[in-house]
Amino acid sequence: MLFANTPTPPYYAVIFTSQRTESDPTGYHTMADLMVELASKQPGFLGVESAREQSGLGITVSYWDSLDSIQQWKENLSHLKAQEKGKRDWYSSYITRICKVERDYTKSN
Amino acid sequence: MLFANTPTPPYYAVIFTSQRTESDPTGYHTMADLMVELASKQPGFLGVESAREQSGLGITVSYWDSLDSIQQWKENLSHLKAQEKGKRDWYSSYITRICKVERDYTKSN
């Protein structure tokens, strides 16, 4: 199951929509895996979901228990370095949206 | 540009994470295109972003001006039929999350 196993709302979501450049796919994937691993160890982390088209357009949504947890992760030193590299080399454009999840509903097999 | 050109927050987002079955790809794509076209004509629609992995895992985020607009779209008759077909044939599992976007930041080339 590649869905985040989030609790009953309310909780928070960071929607990161991005367009990858074609540069440095190996470095990018190594860093992306590392950041998921590191995020999952942060206080308040609830899960992450991610999909990317072959065209390079991708959406990653991470889930958190509070705005404070999101802010702490944003300021994590290793994450800051990854964000800088992302801005410079890996993404031609992106938009980050910080959201409060108010309700959810599901179908599971 | 395949990013939604959303206004200054607050506004609302519907995050739809889904796992596609392998059944009926042509019917699915035809309906998906039709639903985006129809959604874009609804009151309060602000935009949509979508990405799907080759594995079938996908994330679609639609943006709306209010919870009322989301509710109206959820109850649209053509959309209801598409949702039924999706539950039955096209998705093995999914989760829908209704969110309030509180802030955003961007990088554009």
Side-chain angles (χ1 to χ4, degrees):
Chain A
M1 170 59 95
L2 290 162
F3 292 14
N5 186 19
T6 43
T8 304
Y11 53 89
Y12 289 84
V14 180
I15 306 171
F16 178 71
T17 305
S18 62
Q19 178 64 48
R20 274 275 289 127
T21 62
E22 288 178 9
S23 90
D24 187 24
T26 308
Y28 168 75
H29 286 294
T30 302
M31 183 67 92
D33 290 347
L34 194 67
M35 284 303 111
V36 168
E37 194 187 329
L38 187 61
S40 69
K41 293 175 182 164
Q42 301 305 303
F45 176 83
L46 300 176
V48 63
E49 295 166 348
S50 196
R52 190 170 297 280
E53 299 274 318
Q54 284 193 297
S55 68
L57 182 83
I59 302 175
T60 297
V61 190
S62 59
Y63 299 99
W64 302 86
D65 69 349
S66 68
L67 292 174
D68 275 356
S69 295
I70 292 171
Q71 190 62 30
Q72 278 181 53
W73 170 235
K74 188 164 186 266
E75 293 170 3
N76 174 286
L77 278 183
S78 301
H79 188 205
L80 280 174
K81 284 183 196 168
Q83 289 174 66
E84 279 310 306
K85 183 102 173 103
K87 280 184 205 184
R88 199 172 57 232
D89 296 337
W90 292 324
Y91 302 118
S92 56
S93 55
Y94 62 75
I95 177 163
T96 305
R97 295 179 175 96
I98 312 291
C99 316
K100 183 178 189 180
V101 181
E102 302 192 342
R103 59 180 199 272
D104 59 25
Y105 34 93
T106 187
K107 170 196 169 176
S108 301
N109 270 357
Chain B
M1 170 60 94
L2 290 162
F3 292 14
N5 186 20
T6 43
T8 305
Y11 53 89
Y12 288 84
V14 180
I15 306 172
F16 178 72
T17 306
S18 62
Q19 178 64 50
R20 273 277 288 128
T21 62
E22 288 178 9
S23 90
D24 186 24
T26 307
Y28 169 76
H29 285 294
T30 302
M31 183 68 90
D33 290 347
L34 195 65
M35 284 302 112
V36 168
E37 193 187 328
L38 187 60
S40 69
K41 293 174 183 164
Q42 301 305 304
F45 176 82
L46 300 176
V48 63
E49 295 166 348
S50 195
R52 190 170 298 279
E53 298 273 318
Q54 283 193 299
S55 68
L57 182 84
I59 302 174
T60 297
V61 190
S62 59
Y63 300 99
W64 302 86
D65 68 350
S66 68
L67 292 173
D68 275 356
S69 296
I70 292 171
Q71 190 63 31
Q72 278 181 53
W73 171 234
K74 187 164 186 267
E75 294 170 3
N76 173 286
L77 279 183
S78 302
H79 188 205
L80 280 174
K81 284 183 196 167
Q83 289 174 66
E84 279 309 307
K85 183 102 174 103
K87 281 184 204 183
R88 198 172 58 232
D89 296 337
W90 291 324
Y91 302 118
S92 57
S93 55
Y94 61 76
I95 176 163
T96 305
R97 296 178 175 95
I98 312 291
C99 316
K100 183 177 188 178
V101 180
E102 301 192 342
R103 58 180 200 273
D104 60 23
Y105 36 93
T106 189
K107 170 195 169 177
S108 301
N109 269 357

